[in-house]
């Protein structure tokens, strides 16, 4: 049995659940939602949050997800055959295929370094592990990649065999303020990853890590001066120490030079 948490229910998403081949799921919607009223009797619907879930597995279906008829069936089949995993993953339709088993380090490289799209809706969690290890944003919502990595601390992420999820990414807000917010969020993820992996087990070399961080920091230019950006760069753990400070400064200079060419 799986719980499907739907923070923003609508007819497109709820309608897709009517045709699920497996009926072993329960839908959870916010307490103030009336969108699911027309679907009562077609599948179990309750008002609740993650804290309300009693099913052993849980998936958060966000706007943009359109699960096909075998979505629940294939998840449950994989989870029953491979119960030793705490996180399962469904590939996005038309997107890059995850390996059958992916360590936390591999997931980090795929999503953060390579930029492979992996929305929260593509992951299924053991409910008890998610409640214990969830990483929350300031607004109380799940922070997708940190949450996946946190729950996958003890075992790799298991891909659901022959399952895909149609996904339409929501439009991102445009404008300088929204762009800066996205950059700041990425920098916060970098800081979190340093604590999570530690210096010795970080999935990138020091040089690659500095280049990755510097490239993101440089995106704040010209809204921030080079001096301010250097202060941000030096706040990362990987930039601590005399030699590393020099390397971090060099990486930022290179990133700013590349940023300048982009703006020309």
């Amino acid at each position: 049995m799986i719980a499907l948490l739907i923070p923003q229910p609508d007819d497109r998403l709820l309608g897709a659940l009517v045709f699920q081949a497996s009926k072993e799921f329960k839908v959870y919607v916010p307490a103030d939602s009336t969108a699911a009223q027309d679907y009562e009797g077609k599948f179990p619907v309750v008002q609740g949050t993650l804290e309300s879930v009693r099913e052993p597995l849980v998936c958060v279906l966000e706007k943009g997800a359109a699960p096909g008829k075998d979505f629940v069936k294939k998840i449950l089949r994989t989870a029953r055959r491979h119960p030793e995993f705490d996180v399962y993953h469904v590939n996005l339709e038309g997107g890059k295929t995850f390996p059958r088993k992916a360590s936390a380090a591999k997931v980090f490289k795929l999503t953060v370094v390579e930029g492979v799209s992996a929305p929260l809706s593509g992951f299924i969690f053991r409910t008890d592990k998610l409640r214990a290890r969830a990483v929350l944003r300031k607004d109380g919502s799940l922070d997708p990649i940190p949450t996946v990595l946190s729950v996958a601390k003890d075992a790799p992420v298991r891909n659901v065999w022959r399952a895909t999820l149609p996904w339409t990414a929501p439009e991102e807000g445009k404008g300088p303020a929204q762009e800066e917010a996205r950059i700041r969020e990425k920098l916060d993820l970098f800081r979190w990853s340093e604590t999570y992996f530690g210096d010795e087990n970080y999935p990138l070399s020091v040089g690659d890590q500095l280049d990755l961080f510097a490239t993101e920091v440089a995106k704040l230019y010209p809204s921030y001066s080079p001096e301010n950006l250097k202060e941000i760069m030096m706040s990362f753990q990987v930039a601590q120490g005399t030699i590393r400070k020099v390397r971090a400064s060099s990486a930022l200079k290179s990133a700013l030079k590349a940023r300048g060419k982009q703006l020309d």
Side-chain angles (χ1 to χ4, degrees), residues 192-208:
W192 182 89
S193 71
E194 288 191 298
T195 300
Y196 176 82
F197 289 111
D199 191 56
E200 293 184 2
N201 296 316
Y202 206 83
L204 299 174
S205 67
V206 170
D208 287 344

Side-chain angles (χ1 to χ4, degrees), residues 4-6 37 44 61 74 87 91 117 127 142 165 168 177 185 213 236-237 244 248 256 260:
L4 302 177
L5 284 177
I6 306 182
Q37 289 179 349
L61 290 178
K74 289 181 177 179
V87 188
N91 293 317
S117 181
T127 304
L142 294 173
L165 175 67
T168 303
E185 187 176 279
F213 291 10
F236 291 108
Q237 293 178 23
R244 288 195 179 187
L256 285 172

Side-chain angles (χ1 to χ4, degrees), residues 40-102:
E40 292 178 1
K42 297 180 180 179
F43 46 74
V45 181
V46 298
Q47 293 182 332
T49 64
L50 177 59
E51 295 306 315
S52 315
V53 173
R54 295 296 173 264
E55 291 70 30
L57 295 170
V58 59
C59 177
V60 181
L61 290 178
E62 302 171 298
K63 275 195 172 183
K69 65 182 181 65
D70 292 327
F71 182 72
V72 169
K73 178 182 176 181
K74 289 181 177 179
I75 289 170
L76 292 178
R77 181 179 61 192
T78 296
R80 286 166 179 161
R81 290 179 177 177
H82 306 281
E84 66 272 25
F85 298 93
D86 297 324
V87 188
Y88 302 87
H89 175 259
V90 176
N91 293 317
L92 298 190
E93 190 174 85
K96 182 171 176 121
T97 300
F98 269 51
R100 182 163 53 180
K101 291 188 289 186

